[in-house]
Amino acid sequence: MVRRIWRRSLQLRVVTSTLVISMAVVAVLGVFLMQSIATSVLKSRELAAVEESRANIATASGYLAPQTAEVADASPEGGSGGLAANPVDSAVSALTERSGGRYDVVVFNDDGIGDGRASGKIDYSSIPERLRAKVKASEEGVLYTQPVTLRYLGNKAPESGLAIGGRVNDSYEIYHLFPLNSEETTLLAVQRVLIGVGVALVLLLAAIAYLVTRQVVTPVRLARQAAERLAAGRLEERLKVRGEDDLARLATSFNEMASNLALKIHQLEELSQVQRQFVSDVSHELRTPLTTVRMAADLLYESREDFDPAAARSAELMQNQLERFESMLADLLEISRYDAGAATLDVESVDMRDVVLRAVGDSEALAERQATRFELRLPSEHCMAEVDSRRVERILRNLLFNAIEHGEGRDIVVTLGADRDAVAVAVRDHGVGLKPGEENLVFDRFWRGDPSRARTIGGTGLGLAISREDAMLHGGWLQAWGSPGEGTQFRLSLPRLAGSELRGSPLPLVPPEVEIRRAWRGHATPVMAPAVAEVGARSLENADAGGFDVD
């Protein structure tokens, strides 16, 4: 269902494509902007922290000078200079006062003079060993920075931060630990703004695409609906023309096309009506003089033995041609009924085996004159179907006459098959066959495969055309297969119940022996030959199992 809606809705595809592309573009731009803003904010914070750390280290170097350590050693209780006994404590106290609680300071004494001290409740483990190793190996005045996770003593949760370390007086390490809470809050706010703006932008682009495509798709949809109504026979259907843009010109062109099409259809209907009326009138009008001519021809034909040989031959030729003319006139009348839509079915439930036998019986005399033999393959059980037996017999006679005409004296195979829903009759000859593309042309009126070839058994050229009309009137199929040098096969397929839809045929259109022969030729190595033979044998077994008697 979703796939069908997706394939049928141009507007849905355009809006969805715009939405997906917009989301991808906004996501890429959002990530790029977020990275740029984060880099800029963190870089500016790092530069400010480095400058402040450098100033603090200069201040702390006065507390951690060598002489300060000597005074501390000489006066463990305190000194007259006002300095604390432990220089590290003095430096940490001074830097803590300068920080105002904005960051923490940790001081280490590498020479064992005094202990390490930290401001606040910062944990020494916040300083990674990798950073300490760099600071220990560096020269005085060189600062190193590294993002870290600040850990605190007590219940305070860890947080992201920036550690900056440097050496003082070749004996001390001073680390400044700057929390990045404010920067993270700022970046989180910027991220939320970018996401909100991105979502709003995507929805706005989708709405724009919807409105734009609606302006284009709506006229196209109206044109499609008008075309459907026009195809349904409502030739008065027209489109409303609004404005002078391309869509308005399209509507104008569509209306002109519809008007011209309606005019042409009306002209063709009148021409077809005139043609049908002409054929019907001529066919009916010819019956009266034809009856008179028939009576005179019959009289001459019965008295031909009293004439000289030339006159007797002329009487015989006139009799033959009159029979052909009467047959053509009857076919023309039948065609005119189909053209006028006046043909109806006289449906009855019959055994299709009897219908086939009657058609074969009507064709046996002609087959004997052409030295042709019929091979019947009929099921052993009853094969009932609701059909107009007169029309079906006429179809089969036409197919049999056509097979005799083009079978070149070889055997003609007539096969009857049935399944639960359909019955089929196949008439197979082994004559000249059909060229590619002629399997549809054979049902055209007065069509001949070889115009230079004369008809040997008469015929009007309308038999197959009438047969197809009879098959379609039953809701069935009449199909042809042929190949040069392999003969032809016509297959009539009819539903077993009158009025039901025909979905398939119980007989193949291409003869099984032709399929087996083609499969044999398609295998290049002799190793595959037994497999093909087995397929052919299995096909024959299945045919026998289906109830067909092969004579």
Side-chain angles (χ1 to χ4, degrees):
M1 182 66 180
V2 176
R3 183 179 180 183
R4 182 173 178 269
I5 296 176
W6 172 263
R7 294 180 61 182
R8 290 175 61 90
S9 177
L10 175 62
Q11 187 173 7
L12 177 62
R13 293 200 303 272
V14 171
V15 173
T16 304
S17 301
T18 304
L19 188 63
V20 172
I21 296 174
S22 301
M23 290 174 62
V25 172
V26 169
V28 172
L29 291 178
V31 171
F32 175 76
L33 290 175
M34 191 62 199
Q35 290 180 348
S36 300
I37 294 172
T39 302
S40 177
V41 171
L42 295 178
K43 189 65 177 177
S44 60
R45 177 55 174 163
E46 181 180 353
L47 292 176
V50 168
E51 292 299 326
E52 190 163 0
S53 299
R54 195 180 301 278
N56 288 342
I57 290 176
T59 301
S61 62
Y63 292 93
L64 301 175
Q67 60 271 22
T68 304
E70 294 175 0
V71 173
D73 291 338
S75 306
E77 302 297 335
S80 60
L83 297 176
N86 192 333
V88 174
D89 292 339
S90 301
V92 170
S93 299
L95 297 181
T96 301
E97 185 178 355
R98 287 172 59 89
S99 70
R102 292 180 292 111
Y103 53 85
D104 293 297
V105 178
V106 177
V107 179
F108 293 105
N109 185 358
D110 294 341
D111 294 337
I113 306 175
D115 299 324
R117 292 292 186 269
S119 62
K121 295 183 179 181
I122 193 69
D123 192 347
Y124 293 158
S125 62
S126 301
I127 304 173
E129 293 297 331
R130 182 180 177 184
L131 178 60
R132 290 204 62 183
K134 290 183 179 180
V135 173
K136 288 180 180 180
S138 66
E139 298 179 356
E140 187 171 348
V142 179
L143 300 181
Y144 290 92
T145 62
Q146 182 175 336
V148 296
T149 299
L150 302 182
R151 300 177 180 86
Y152 299 91
L153 302 175
N155 297 327
K156 188 176 181 180
E159 58 185 1
S160 299
L162 181 66
I164 303 176
R167 290 186 63 82
V168 178
N169 299 333
D170 296 329
S171 299
Y172 300 94
E173 302 169 31
I174 298 182
Y175 297 92
H176 293 77
L177 304 175
F178 294 87
L180 299 177
N181 289 339
S182 60
E183 286 75 13
E184 288 183 346
T185 302
T186 301
L187 294 177
L188 183 59
V190 172
Q191 183 179 8
R192 291 175 179 172
V193 171
L194 288 178
I195 292 175
V197 172
V199 172
L201 182 60
V202 168
L203 295 178
L204 180 61
L205 291 175
I208 294 174
Y210 173 80
L211 294 176
V212 172
T213 54
R214 182 180 177 84
Q215 293 179 357
V216 177
V217 170
T218 299
V220 175
R221 185 177 296 137
L222 294 176
R224 188 259 302 169
Q225 295 173 353
E228 291 177 351
R229 291 190 288 268
L230 193 66
R234 299 172 58 180
L235 301 180
E236 72 282 356
E237 187 68 28
R238 297 295 183 271
L239 290 176
K240 295 182 179 180
V241 180
R242 298 184 178 88
E244 299 179 356
D245 55 8
D246 293 336
L247 294 176
R249 290 198 294 269
L250 174 62
T252 302
S253 301
F254 179 88
N255 293 337
E256 293 177 355
M257 179 195 68
S259 300
N260 294 332
L261 183 62
L263 178 61
K264 294 295 181 183
I265 291 177
H266 181 67
Q267 293 176 351
L268 290 175
E269 287 178 346
E270 290 182 347
L271 181 61
S272 178
Q273 180 65 28
V274 171
Q275 181 182 7
R276 291 195 299 267
Q277 188 65 35
F278 174 78
V279 172
S280 178
D281 293 344
V282 169
S283 300
H284 283 88
E285 293 297 329
L286 284 177
R287 283 193 171 276
T288 301
L290 181 61
T291 302
T292 304
V293 174
R294 163 59 73 180
M295 295 173 59
D298 289 342
L299 180 61
L300 293 175
Y301 183 76
E302 292 175 356
S303 305
R304 68 185 183 281
E305 294 181 355
D306 300 333
F307 300 155
D308 59 87
R313 177 60 179 164
S314 298
E316 292 176 354
L317 291 176
M318 183 173 63
Q319 183 75 8
N320 292 334
Q321 293 303 315
L322 276 174
E323 291 178 355
R324 183 181 178 187
F325 186 73
E326 285 182 335
S327 177
M328 181 179 294
L329 186 60
D331 289 345
L332 286 174
L333 285 173
E334 190 68 21
I335 285 291
S336 65
R337 293 190 188 97
Y338 279 113
D339 290 341
T344 58
L345 290 176
D346 185 10
V347 176
E348 58 180 341
S349 180
V350 298
D351 190 346
M352 288 297 296
R353 297 181 303 175
D354 297 336
V355 177
V356 173
L357 291 175
R358 287 197 296 269
V360 170
D362 294 341
S363 308
E364 281 183 347
L366 180 61
E368 290 178 358
R369 292 199 299 269
Q370 299 295 325
T372 300
R373 188 176 71 90
F374 291 119
E375 179 182 346
L376 301 182
R377 300 177 180 177
L378 306 179
S380 58
E381 299 178 354
H382 292 288
C383 184
M384 307 302 295
E386 296 179 356
V387 297
D388 187 336
S389 58
R390 180 183 66 85
R391 294 182 183 276
V392 175
E393 286 182 27
R394 181 170 62 185
I395 295 174
L396 296 180
R397 282 196 301 270
N398 285 328
L399 297 181
L400 293 173
F401 289 167
N402 183 78
I404 295 171
E405 169 78 21
H406 300 92
E408 298 184 341
R410 299 186 178 93
D411 291 351
I412 297 174
V413 180
V414 181
T415 306
L416 173 62
D419 57 19
R420 185 181 62 181
D421 301 320
V423 295
V425 181
V427 178
R428 168 87 161 98
D429 68 69
H430 300 81
V432 294
L434 295 174
K435 298 177 183 179
E438 292 182 347
E439 61 273 3
N440 294 321
L441 297 177
V442 293
F443 299 107
D444 293 344
R445 300 175 184 180
F446 302 107
W447 183 86
R448 296 175 64 182
D450 186 1
S452 63
R453 180 175 177 175
R455 300 184 186 273
T456 60
I457 61 172
T460 63
L462 296 173
L464 291 179
I466 295 176
S467 298
R468 183 179 61 177
E469 296 290 347
D470 283 335
M472 295 174 61
L473 191 62
H474 283 82
W477 307 331
L478 182 58
Q479 300 164 294
W481 167 89
S483 180
E486 295 184 326
T488 59
Q489 175 165 294
F490 287 81
R491 183 184 67 180
L492 172 65
S493 304
L494 301 173
R496 300 194 73 165
L497 298 178
S500 60
E501 183 180 358
L502 184 62
R503 298 182 181 275
S505 179
L507 293 179
L509 180 60
V510 181
E513 66 272 12
V514 176
E515 290 286 2
I516 295 174
R517 186 162 55 250
R518 290 178 178 177
W520 176 277
R521 293 172 182 173
H523 291 81
T525 59
V527 177
M528 297 302 294
V532 178
E534 183 181 352
V535 172
R538 190 180 299 114
S539 299
L540 293 177
E541 292 175 1
N542 293 337
D544 292 338
F548 294 97
D549 295 331
V550 182
D551 296 337

